[in-house]
Amino acid sequence: MLGSANLNVMVKAARTAARKLVRDFREVENLQVSVKGAGDFVTRADTAAEATIREILTTERPNYGWLGEESEEERGKDPTRRWIVDPLDGTTNFLHGQPHWAVSIALEHKGEIVAGVIFDAAKDELFVAEKGAGAFMNDQRIRVSGRRRLIECAFATGLPFGGRSDLPLTLKDLGRVMPAVAGVRSTGSAALDLAHVAAGRFDGYWERRIHAWDVAAGLLMVREAGGFVEPLAGDDVFGSRTVVAANGNVFAALADLVRQG
Ligand code: LIP
């Protein structure tokens, strides 16, 4: 696979962690009928996957910092670089035996995402991107869709579960967006939503209350595929924990609809 040495290390870490997650996923499918369910098992799988990724990345790049969903943040000896990792994005899907989850690894340099890997092991689709070098899926170049009319567009979003503070605003977003578009989908994985925007499968995506590790790799993927990514509110995606992404033709129209909230 072409790409920088850093990207190849990221792909190695994602594929290594995913091999065990695929085995765990098969076990989870068997646990659906159990009374206790698969909760504890998935938590262990998630944590183990992050430990595998962290071991590989910190061995190859010992001076980089770390921000991962399942472990303590760590500042590196090189304060300009850090890994941002979600070892299992789409946890609820995984828990319910839904084959729509991904390993997401991003490399940040001086506050900017410069490389991203999103591996959908269930579908064997490896999305990669490096700043200035384009976005690819299974080594084929990907680009955002070309749709221009909102009414022809399909968008993704994350639907809050009970108790999440963004539920009222998201319901208002849906009330404005759904009548104006061809469809809205909620897949349960922000990383794959952004990867699919980059691949032209969705025309855009927005979500409130995301974490940096959910979207770090995907936002680079969309930009390198020719799309636009901005915070829905505030100054930056990570700080505001909001994101809106779309192809350049419909970005302004989608952003306008969700920013009215
Ligand atoms: C998930 C996100 C998704 C969001 C879910 C959850 P996780 O990440 O990818 O977009 O709607 O609430 O946060 O928890 O599966 O890594």
Short mmCIF file of all heavy atoms in Angstrom, two decimals, residues 69 86 88-92 158-159 161 164 188-191 193 205 207 210-211 214, ligand 1:
data_model
loop_
_atom_site.label_atom_id
_atom_site.label_comp_id
_atom_site.label_asym_id
_atom_site.label_seq_id
_atom_site.Cartn_x
_atom_site.Cartn_y
_atom_site.Cartn_z
N GLU A 69 -10.57 6.79 23.17
CA GLU A 69 -11.87 6.76 23.86
C GLU A 69 -11.82 5.94 25.14
O GLU A 69 -12.52 6.23 26.11
CB GLU A 69 -12.95 6.18 22.94
CG GLU A 69 -14.32 6.15 23.61
CD GLU A 69 -15.45 5.77 22.67
OE1 GLU A 69 -15.18 5.18 21.61
OE2 GLU A 69 -16.61 6.10 23.01
N ASP A 86 -10.49 5.96 18.08
CA ASP A 86 -11.69 5.27 18.55
C ASP A 86 -11.56 3.82 18.11
O ASP A 86 -11.72 3.51 16.94
CB ASP A 86 -12.97 5.90 17.96
CG ASP A 86 -14.23 5.32 18.61
OD1 ASP A 86 -14.13 4.25 19.25
OD2 ASP A 86 -15.30 5.94 18.47
N LEU A 88 -13.38 1.26 18.55
CA LEU A 88 -14.62 0.62 18.10
C LEU A 88 -15.71 1.69 18.03
O LEU A 88 -16.38 1.98 19.02
CB LEU A 88 -15.02 -0.51 19.07
CG LEU A 88 -16.36 -1.22 18.81
CD1 LEU A 88 -16.45 -1.77 17.40
CD2 LEU A 88 -16.56 -2.35 19.83
N ASP A 89 -15.82 2.29 16.82
CA ASP A 89 -16.87 3.30 16.62
C ASP A 89 -18.09 2.59 16.07
O ASP A 89 -18.01 1.89 15.07
CB ASP A 89 -16.37 4.39 15.65
CG ASP A 89 -17.36 5.53 15.57
OD1 ASP A 89 -17.47 6.29 16.56
OD2 ASP A 89 -18.06 5.65 14.56
N GLY A 90 -19.21 2.79 16.76
CA GLY A 90 -20.42 2.03 16.43
C GLY A 90 -20.61 0.93 17.46
O GLY A 90 -21.03 -0.18 17.16
N THR A 91 -20.27 1.28 18.70
CA THR A 91 -20.30 0.29 19.78
C THR A 91 -21.66 -0.34 19.96
O THR A 91 -21.79 -1.55 20.14
CB THR A 91 -19.86 0.95 21.10
OG1 THR A 91 -18.67 1.72 20.89
CG2 THR A 91 -19.61 -0.08 22.18
N THR A 92 -22.70 0.49 19.89
CA THR A 92 -24.06 -0.05 20.09
C THR A 92 -24.43 -1.02 18.97
O THR A 92 -25.05 -2.06 19.20
CB THR A 92 -25.08 1.10 20.18
OG1 THR A 92 -24.70 1.97 21.26
CG2 THR A 92 -26.49 0.59 20.41
N GLY A 158 -26.45 11.61 13.76
CA GLY A 158 -26.47 10.73 14.93
C GLY A 158 -27.68 11.07 15.78
O GLY A 158 -27.89 12.23 16.12
N LEU A 159 -28.50 10.07 16.07
CA LEU A 159 -29.71 10.31 16.88
C LEU A 159 -29.39 10.08 18.35
O LEU A 159 -28.99 8.98 18.74
CB LEU A 159 -30.85 9.39 16.44
CG LEU A 159 -31.39 9.66 15.04
CD1 LEU A 159 -32.57 8.72 14.76
CD2 LEU A 159 -31.82 11.11 14.89
N PHE A 161 -29.55 9.23 22.24
CA PHE A 161 -30.36 8.30 23.01
C PHE A 161 -30.87 9.05 24.25
O PHE A 161 -30.46 10.19 24.53
CB PHE A 161 -29.56 7.06 23.43
CG PHE A 161 -28.12 7.34 23.75
CD1 PHE A 161 -27.77 7.85 25.00
CD2 PHE A 161 -27.14 7.16 22.80
CE1 PHE A 161 -26.44 8.15 25.29
CE2 PHE A 161 -25.80 7.44 23.09
CZ PHE A 161 -25.46 7.93 24.33
N ARG A 164 -29.43 12.23 26.57
CA ARG A 164 -28.39 13.08 25.96
C ARG A 164 -28.95 14.49 25.81
O ARG A 164 -30.06 14.70 25.33
CB ARG A 164 -27.94 12.52 24.61
CG ARG A 164 -26.52 12.00 24.64
CD ARG A 164 -26.05 11.38 23.37
NE ARG A 164 -26.16 12.17 22.17
CZ ARG A 164 -25.53 11.81 21.03
NH1 ARG A 164 -24.79 10.73 21.00
NH2 ARG A 164 -25.67 12.54 19.93
N GLY A 188 -25.35 5.07 13.41
CA GLY A 188 -24.72 4.72 14.69
C GLY A 188 -23.21 4.76 14.68
O GLY A 188 -22.58 4.43 15.69
N SER A 189 -22.60 5.19 13.55
CA SER A 189 -21.15 5.33 13.52
C SER A 189 -20.77 6.62 12.81
O SER A 189 -20.90 6.72 11.58
CB SER A 189 -20.49 4.15 12.79
OG SER A 189 -19.11 4.44 12.55
N ALA A 190 -20.30 7.58 13.57
CA ALA A 190 -19.90 8.87 13.00
C ALA A 190 -18.74 8.69 12.03
O ALA A 190 -18.69 9.32 10.97
CB ALA A 190 -19.51 9.83 14.11
N ALA A 191 -17.80 7.82 12.41
CA ALA A 191 -16.63 7.61 11.55
C ALA A 191 -17.06 7.10 10.18
O ALA A 191 -16.61 7.61 9.14
CB ALA A 191 -15.67 6.62 12.22
N ASP A 193 -20.10 7.35 8.89
CA ASP A 193 -20.91 8.38 8.22
C ASP A 193 -20.02 9.32 7.42
O ASP A 193 -20.28 9.63 6.26
CB ASP A 193 -21.71 9.18 9.25
CG ASP A 193 -22.86 8.37 9.87
OD1 ASP A 193 -23.26 7.36 9.27
OD2 ASP A 193 -23.32 8.76 10.96
N TYR A 205 -23.56 15.00 6.31
CA TYR A 205 -23.75 14.44 7.67
C TYR A 205 -23.65 15.60 8.66
O TYR A 205 -22.87 16.55 8.46
CB TYR A 205 -22.66 13.40 7.92
CG TYR A 205 -22.31 13.13 9.37
CD1 TYR A 205 -23.13 12.36 10.19
CD2 TYR A 205 -21.14 13.66 9.91
CE1 TYR A 205 -22.79 12.12 11.52
CE2 TYR A 205 -20.80 13.42 11.22
CZ TYR A 205 -21.63 12.65 12.03
OH TYR A 205 -21.30 12.43 13.34
N GLU A 207 -23.92 16.20 13.22
CA GLU A 207 -24.19 15.62 14.54
C GLU A 207 -23.78 16.59 15.64
O GLU A 207 -22.80 17.34 15.48
CB GLU A 207 -23.48 14.29 14.73
CG GLU A 207 -23.88 13.60 16.04
CD GLU A 207 -23.62 12.12 16.08
OE1 GLU A 207 -23.15 11.54 15.07
OE2 GLU A 207 -23.89 11.52 17.13
N ILE A 210 -20.65 15.04 19.50
CA ILE A 210 -19.68 14.00 19.10
C ILE A 210 -18.41 14.18 19.94
O ILE A 210 -18.21 15.19 20.62
CB ILE A 210 -19.31 14.11 17.59
CG1 ILE A 210 -19.02 15.56 17.18
CG2 ILE A 210 -20.41 13.55 16.71
CD1 ILE A 210 -17.59 15.94 17.22
N HIS A 211 -17.53 13.18 19.91
CA HIS A 211 -16.21 13.26 20.52
C HIS A 211 -15.17 13.37 19.42
O HIS A 211 -15.41 12.90 18.30
CB HIS A 211 -15.92 12.02 21.38
CG HIS A 211 -16.75 11.93 22.62
ND1 HIS A 211 -17.89 11.17 22.68
CD2 HIS A 211 -16.62 12.52 23.83
CE1 HIS A 211 -18.42 11.27 23.90
NE2 HIS A 211 -17.67 12.09 24.62
N ASP A 214 -14.45 10.23 17.50
CA ASP A 214 -15.47 9.75 16.55
C ASP A 214 -15.22 10.28 15.14
O ASP A 214 -15.52 9.61 14.16
CB ASP A 214 -16.87 10.24 16.98
CG ASP A 214 -17.36 9.67 18.29
OD1 ASP A 214 -17.07 8.49 18.57
OD2 ASP A 214 -18.04 10.40 19.03
C1 LIP B 1 -20.85 6.68 18.47
C2 LIP B 1 -20.79 7.72 17.37
C3 LIP B 1 -22.19 8.03 16.86
C4 LIP B 1 -23.01 8.59 17.98
C5 LIP B 1 -23.11 7.55 19.07
C6 LIP B 1 -21.73 7.12 19.59
P1 LIP B 1 -19.15 5.12 19.76
O1 LIP B 1 -19.54 6.46 18.93
O2 LIP B 1 -19.98 7.24 16.32
O3 LIP B 1 -22.15 8.97 15.82
O4 LIP B 1 -24.28 8.95 17.50
O5 LIP B 1 -23.86 8.09 20.14
O6 LIP B 1 -21.12 8.19 20.25
O7 LIP B 1 -19.65 5.38 21.14
O8 LIP B 1 -19.84 3.97 19.13
O9 LIP B 1 -17.65 5.04 19.71
#
